[in-house]
Amino acid sequence: MTLDTESFSLLRASLQRFIDERLKPAEDILEETDDVPADIVSDMKDMGLFGISIPENYGGIGLSMSQECDVVYDLGHTALAFRSVFGTNVGIGSQGILMDGTEEQKQAYLPRIASGELIISFALTEPNAGSDAASLQTKAELDGDHYVINGTKRFITNAPRAGAFTLMARTGGPGASGISAFIIPADTPGISLGKPDKKMGQRGTKTCDVVLDNVRVPAANIIGGVPGVGFKTAMKVLDRGRLHLSALACGMAHRLLTDAVEYAKDRKQFGRPIGEFQLIQGMLADSQAELYAGLSMVRDCAQRYDAKGGAGKTDPEVSMLASCTKMFCTEMVGRVADRAVQIHGGAGYISEYKAERFYRDVRLLRLYEGTTQIQQMIIAKHLLRD
Ligand SMILES: Cc1cc2nc3c(=O)[nH]c(=O)nc-3n(C[C@H](O)[C@H](O)[C@H](O)COP(=O)(O)OP(=O)(O)OC[C@H]3O[C@@H](n4cnc5c(N)ncnc54)[C@H](O)[C@@H]3O)c2cc1C
């Protein structure tokens, strides 16, 4: 799946214009209202952003992973909350259906996900199952041709906006092979939402608990119709998501570095712009070099992902490299953000300057879709395998 070069160039140019003219000027609105303005969401739908990773025959734009990484890199140049509105539709919410769903499920859901008519969330994490997701406790018990689901999902991105969930629940015994992935409409009786989570950053993003109390779902809503393979589906989805997040981290690192360079040229101390001091130059140079390394990893890994067949075609080597990329890029943007705050001096601690806000925003990237420690475990397991 790939968009032809000319159409992709046009899409990217109009997206970059949209980011500069519409999103960057609205960054303060996110901070003030803790929400993304409805007219911006509507424009993002019109641009097709909810469907960039969904093939054209299901109503999307059908970008390759490499192209998606370019687009997400651009989106990293503004507040991350804008991307989050359609992030679950592009990534973790939709890809399980695309990779492993039946044709009927794809037809029923993907066009509405691609258009943005339906927001879909990914519900794996639970109060007692985070990094160890295979130990999840949400139970789905067969009752005739339905499952009855009980449990709680935690920190679910876009749950307050969602029309449906891709939700992992236990249909069998303990461990990964007892887990199935369900598609569950959000208005199914028995589903309720917790209060919105108050977070360190990324104001304008929405997360909360999803509580399931005797939720009856047709057995036909299991992704692919096959119980017991939901954990594999979830892991394939996360694999792909790691590249997406890495590209986002690089975009944000570039924005932070650009802002820091501008500040270093502008701010004068000791009668000179601070950018003339070698200690400031060292921080800028380190940030540029690390950003280049991260972006090179993203591009290389995305190309390998596409070469191996794209969505759902997992290759152990590419999975391991995606973990390396996620670990490096999300840690890298943390260091770049820290230096950007330092270069801004006291202003870096003041909300009016974006460095303070982005410093908080990027912290999440090291935690979700597999913490840095989980990426280290995946990489080491690959190295030490027989
Ligand atoms: C804002 C936000 C949005 C999120 N969105 C979603 C979503 O949409 N859907 C979803 O399903 N989940 C979502 N999550 C959940 C997220 O993926 C988890 O928080 C993350 O996977 C970590 O799990 P945990 O919080 O339970 O931490 P824990 O697993 O309890 O980890 C705590 C610490 O222990 C470390 N640790 C754990 N196991 C090991 C080990 N074996 N070796 C070494 N160190 C270890 C971790 O790295 C971490 O440092 C979101 C979280 C947040 C904060």
Side-chain angles (χ1 to χ4, degrees):
M1 175 169 89
T2 186
L3 187 64
D4 68 90
T5 314
E6 198 189 329
S7 308
F8 183 63
S9 300
L10 288 173
L11 170 78
R12 212 169 162 198
S14 73
L15 176 66
Q16 286 167 349
R17 241 187 350 265
F18 181 66
I19 291 167
D20 287 339
E21 293 171 9
R22 296 274 284 127
L23 300 187
K24 286 183 182 173
E27 284 170 357
D28 286 341
I29 300 175
L30 297 178
E31 208 61 18
E32 285 154 21
T33 64
D34 196 14
D35 210 351
V36 178
D39 57 332
I40 286 184
V41 176
S42 166
D43 286 351
M44 293 195 300
K45 286 181 186 172
D46 292 345
M47 291 181 76
L49 293 178
F50 286 76
I52 54 175
S53 62
I54 293 174
E56 284 178 273
N57 53 323
Y58 298 114
I61 296 183
L63 300 186
S64 65
M65 196 66 226
S66 299
Q67 291 174 327
E68 181 179 324
C69 285
D70 284 345
V71 162
V72 175
Y73 173 77
D74 292 341
L75 284 157
H77 285 73
T78 186
L80 303 185
F82 293 121
R83 183 220 58 109
S84 182
V85 176
F86 57 86
T88 51
N89 277 35
V90 166
I92 52 179
S94 68
Q95 293 300 304
I97 301 174
L98 181 62
M99 290 171 182
D100 290 339
T102 62
E103 190 50 40
E104 205 179 333
Q105 288 168 343
K106 292 181 193 182
Q107 298 281 359
Y109 287 95
L110 293 180
R112 288 191 293 142
I113 294 172
S115 68
E117 177 195 333
L118 180 78
I119 302 284
I120 187 152
S121 286
F122 174 84
L124 176 66
T125 304
E126 299 181 357
N128 294 318
S131 298
D132 183 14
S135 71
L136 65 80
Q137 293 163 347
T138 294
K139 213 164 174 39
E141 286 172 301
L142 197 57
D143 178 23
D145 56 0
H146 280 64
Y147 279 93
V148 179
I149 308 182
N150 284 286
T152 299
K153 295 293 177 179
R154 180 135 295 171
F155 307 143
I156 304 307
T157 301
N158 279 336
R161 298 172 169 133
F165 299 99
T166 296
L167 185 140
M168 272 46 74
R170 189 165 298 287
T171 50
S177 60
I179 296 171
S180 301
F182 289 85
I183 310 169
I184 308 184
D187 60 2
T188 310
I191 293 185
S192 59
L193 302 181
K195 59 180 178 7
D197 296 319
K198 289 185 182 165
K199 302 186 288 300
M200 177 192 285
Q202 296 209 10
R203 278 177 68 79
T205 59
K206 302 287 168 196
T207 61
C208 69
D209 279 6
V210 178
V211 182
L212 300 104
D213 180 15
N214 286 321
V215 174
R216 284 183 71 81
V217 178
N221 284 30
I222 289 185
I223 292 180
V226 189
V229 293
F231 192 73
K232 278 192 188 149
T233 300
M235 291 305 111
K236 282 191 285 185
V237 165
L238 290 174
D239 237 27
R240 196 183 170 286
R242 282 169 190 151
L243 280 173
H244 178 111
L245 284 184
S246 303
L248 190 70
C250 289
M252 183 43 82
H254 189 243
R255 166 72 187 269
L256 281 157
L257 180 57
T258 309
D259 287 359
V261 167
E262 282 311 306
Y263 193 81
K265 284 184 190 166
D266 205 44
R267 172 73 178 166
K268 289 194 179 67
Q269 285 297 283
F270 301 95
R272 288 195 280 161
I274 59 167
E276 289 186 13
F277 301 127
Q278 287 186 347
L279 293 174
I280 297 285
Q281 290 173 3
M283 287 192 273
L284 294 175
D286 286 355
S287 298
Q288 173 59 56
E290 290 193 51
L291 166 58
Y292 179 54
L295 202 50
S296 302
M297 290 172 86
V298 169
R299 289 184 175 144
D300 175 71
C301 194
Q303 270 173 22
R304 289 171 188 263
Y305 189 90
D306 288 332
K308 291 284 178 187
K313 308 283 188 300
T314 45
D315 175 85
E317 176 86 4
V318 178
S319 289
M320 184 273 286
L321 293 175
S323 284
C324 293
T325 307
K326 202 257 179 185
M327 176 173 80
F328 183 83
C329 293
T330 58
E331 293 282 338
M332 177 274 291
V333 72
R335 292 190 293 273
V336 172
D338 190 67
R339 292 184 198 117
V341 169
Q342 197 67 17
I343 290 166
H344 279 75
Y349 202 70
I350 304 296
S351 309
E352 209 179 309
Y353 296 83
K354 300 288 168 67
E356 180 269 346
R357 191 178 305 167
F358 295 153
Y359 175 84
R360 288 184 285 113
D361 287 357
V362 300
R363 189 62 185 83
L364 177 60
L365 302 178
R366 286 192 258 167
L367 298 171
Y368 66 0
E369 300 198 22
T371 63
T372 292
Q373 290 69 40
I374 294 305
Q375 308 311 325
Q376 287 175 315
M377 281 169 57
I378 295 170
I379 298 162
K381 193 174 160 195
H382 183 87
L383 295 175
L384 296 168
R385 77 195 190 288
D386 288 334

